[in-house]
Amino acid sequence: MTNIDARVPENRATAAVSAAINRLAAWLARHWLAAFNAFVLLFVGIPFLAPVLTRMGLEGPAQLIYTIYAPTCHQLPERSLFLFGPQAVYHVHELEEAGALPAGLNLLQRMALRFNGQDGIGYKVAICQRDIAIYGAILINGLLFAAMRKRLRRRDGRMPKLPLWLFGVLLIPIFIDGATQLLGLRESNWWLRLVTGGLFGGALVWLAYPYVEEAMAEVQAAAPPAPAAKEGR
């Protein structure tokens, strides 16, 4: 026969865990946008530390950053931004002429080489120009959304959203620029990568964030009220 008293501590522990999860969910529902923006700020900011650390002679931590971001980005030097050099961007032939890259390497070989920079050239940021534009636009538009969301909210609690057709239109530039470059039909340039990446990142925020805001508002409405603090005797 089960001892009822033995179940009491377990029930209390389960209730405590459930209450902690509910509090965490309520906190995330209230502060999701700040958490998102902080995460994006770190994600786009840390790659800029790689060239700074390399310049300071801290090559181990710098290489760790390059390695962590490698699965998220091709990190091709001719599509990256460089710090601490005479130029912020380079073409392949300029890197070859400077002796930074062996001549005649194809795209996959340049990716495998993982050239991060050198004295006289500078050191590259750990994500490419287009990724900087995408995540930078997500951060900037996320901050704008935070500043405007109260004014944008309708009386019924709904948020205006970017129409799906317009989102598709704003994807066309990055699709054309990226696809034609990938197929070897042409080579893009730094400002096209920044513009097309920025359009995509901004469009993504104004399509997705209003839905997230509405969902988090529903979570807050459904959350049980916080227990009132006990008055001291």
Side-chain angles (χ1 to χ4, degrees):
M1 188 172 182
T2 304
N3 187 339
I4 297 177
D5 293 339
R7 295 203 306 265
V8 172
E10 180 182 351
N11 291 339
R12 288 177 177 172
T14 302
V17 171
S18 177
I21 292 174
N22 288 336
R23 287 194 298 270
L24 177 61
W27 185 90
L28 288 174
R30 290 192 302 271
H31 304 290
W32 73 270
L33 186 53
F36 272 33
N37 286 337
F39 174 79
V40 177
L41 175 62
L42 287 174
F43 192 84
V44 74
I46 289 174
F48 284 86
L49 286 178
V52 173
L53 292 171
T54 304
R55 177 75 169 184
M56 296 171 61
L58 301 173
E59 296 184 4
Q63 187 57 50
L64 178 62
I65 293 174
Y66 286 119
T67 301
I68 290 173
Y69 278 84
T72 72
C73 181
H74 53 70
Q75 297 179 336
L76 286 167
E78 70 272 18
R79 301 180 191 174
S80 300
L81 293 179
F82 280 73
L83 303 182
F84 310 114
Q87 298 177 205
V89 296
Y90 292 93
H91 294 289
V92 172
H93 68 84
E94 291 176 316
L95 294 170
E96 291 174 346
E97 291 171 359
L101 292 180
L105 296 182
N106 61 35
L107 184 143
L108 293 178
Q109 289 172 326
R110 295 197 301 277
M111 287 178 61
L113 185 61
R114 294 293 176 186
F115 172 75
N116 295 330
Q118 65 185 37
D119 291 343
I121 295 291
Y123 306 98
K124 73 179 183 183
V125 179
I127 53 176
C128 68
Q129 298 156 2
R130 201 186 307 274
D131 281 356
I132 291 172
I134 291 172
Y135 300 126
I138 289 174
L139 176 60
I140 292 170
N141 284 274
L143 294 173
L144 286 173
F145 186 83
M148 298 173 60
R149 61 177 170 174
K150 289 184 179 179
R151 283 177 287 177
L152 292 173
R153 190 187 304 277
R154 297 168 181 160
R155 291 184 178 179
D156 60 0
R158 296 297 179 182
M159 301 285 292
K161 305 170 184 69
L162 186 73
L164 194 58
W165 67 266
L166 183 53
F167 178 75
V169 169
L170 293 174
L171 288 186
I172 293 175
I174 195 172
F175 175 77
I176 294 175
D177 190 48
T180 55
Q181 181 176 255
L182 180 65
L183 295 174
L185 301 177
R186 51 178 286 279
E187 180 65 22
S188 184
N189 55 53
W190 65 268
W191 65 265
L192 272 175
R193 297 185 189 108
L194 292 180
V195 169
T196 57
L199 284 174
F200 171 69
L204 187 61
V205 166
W206 294 103
L207 175 72
Y209 279 29
Y211 287 104
V212 179
E213 175 71 7
E214 291 178 0
M216 292 303 179
E218 292 176 1
V219 171
Q220 291 184 64
K230 294 182 179 180
E231 295 183 0
R233 294 182 179 178

